[in-house]
Amino acid sequence: MRKLEKKDVQMFKQIRLEALEEVPEAFAASYEEEVDQPHAFFEFKLNEETCFYGIFDYETLVGIVSLTQSKLLKMNHKAAIGSVYVAKEARGKGIGKKLLDHVIKTAHELGIEQLQLVVASKNERAKQLYESLGFHTYGFEERALKVNGEYIDEDYMMKFLRN
């Protein structure tokens, strides 16, 4: 597992589009918005303030997660976890937990005190994983997303890394 770099852009684009198409309710962005974007769009995602981490099965990228630390002075003790996705063929092997363990450890090493994430309220499997790692729900947004005419509610979760 490692931070994704510009050289990983083709694999990143592929898994990102797969994620957006496979589980549209899990992402604010849509497949339709990103599918025709040029390579530079995905390179920018890997070079902006958000850090993407990937886990590989040999040379194949099979899971991603992002970590975004606030740049605002009063909020830089916090970071958001996002874009959590494990490829279909790699599920059921603990990869999601490994990704999250890595990003939690990285956040701790960066001095981040609090992690936040957003998850679809109906995604019980993901919520159970987050809870097993010490996250708890602190908020709820009704009709946060609208996917194919269906509203998706979202839970806001957090974890303190330092008290």
Side-chain angles (χ1 to χ4, degrees), residues 25-68:
E25 67 279 1
F27 298 90
S30 71
Y31 177 82
E32 294 77 15
E33 291 170 312
E34 294 192 10
V35 67
D36 293 324
Q37 292 291 342
H39 249 47
F41 173 84
F42 295 94
E43 285 179 358
F44 179 77
K45 283 191 165 299
L46 294 180
N47 290 321
E48 64 176 283
E49 294 174 356
T50 298
C51 294
F52 279 89
Y53 298 92
I55 191 165
F56 296 80
D57 182 10
Y58 298 99
E59 297 296 316
T60 304
L61 181 62
V62 295
I64 57 172
V65 63
S66 69
L67 180 68
T68 308

Side-chain angles (χ1 to χ4, degrees), residues 3 5-6 17 28 34 37 40-41 58 63 74-75 81 87 93 97 108-110 131-132 139 148 161-162:
K3 183 177 176 185
E5 302 169 0
K6 187 177 177 177
L17 291 175
E34 294 192 10
Q37 292 291 342
F41 173 84
Y58 298 99
K74 296 177 185 177
M75 295 176 61
I81 292 175
K93 300 176 183 176
K97 183 177 185 312
H108 194 273
E109 290 170 355
L110 292 171
E131 288 169 355
S132 76
N148 300 322
L161 301 180
R162 292 179 168 78

Side-chain angles (χ1 to χ4, degrees), residues 21-162:
E21 189 172 38
E22 169 118 2
V23 283
E25 67 279 1
F27 298 90
S30 71
Y31 177 82
E32 294 77 15
E33 291 170 312
E34 294 192 10
V35 67
D36 293 324
Q37 292 291 342
H39 249 47
F41 173 84
F42 295 94
E43 285 179 358
F44 179 77
K45 283 191 165 299
L46 294 180
N47 290 321
E48 64 176 283
E49 294 174 356
T50 298
C51 294
F52 279 89
Y53 298 92
I55 191 165
F56 296 80
D57 182 10
Y58 298 99
E59 297 296 316
T60 304
L61 181 62
V62 295
I64 57 172
V65 63
S66 69
L67 180 68
T68 308
Q69 183 175 8
S70 178
K71 298 299 179 200
L72 298 173
L73 183 62
K74 296 177 185 177
M75 295 176 61
N76 72 0
H77 65 289
K78 298 189 292 186
I81 292 175
S83 299
V84 180
Y85 181 74
V86 175
K88 196 184 300 189
E89 68 275 5
R91 293 184 191 153
K93 300 176 183 176
I95 289 175
K97 183 177 185 312
K98 288 178 185 173
L99 280 167
L100 291 163
D101 282 340
H102 178 77
V103 83
I104 290 167
K105 180 181 178 211
T106 300
H108 194 273
E109 290 170 355
L110 292 171
I112 293 168
E113 299 173 22
Q114 181 177 327
L115 288 172
Q116 300 171 323
L117 58 84
V118 180
V119 61
S121 298
K122 290 182 181 178
N123 191 342
E124 291 299 328
R125 193 167 174 202
K127 287 174 23 178
Q128 287 173 356
L129 174 58
Y130 299 141
E131 288 169 355
S132 76
L133 294 169
F135 286 85
H136 68 275
T137 301
Y138 71 91
F140 171 79
E141 183 179 357
E142 194 171 350
R143 294 181 167 198
L145 302 175
K146 189 174 182 181
V147 180
N148 300 322
E150 179 185 341
Y151 290 106
I152 308 297
D153 299 337
E154 292 182 331
D155 290 349
Y156 290 74
M157 301 183 81
M158 65 169 296
K159 172 185 176 76
F160 288 114
L161 301 180
R162 292 179 168 78

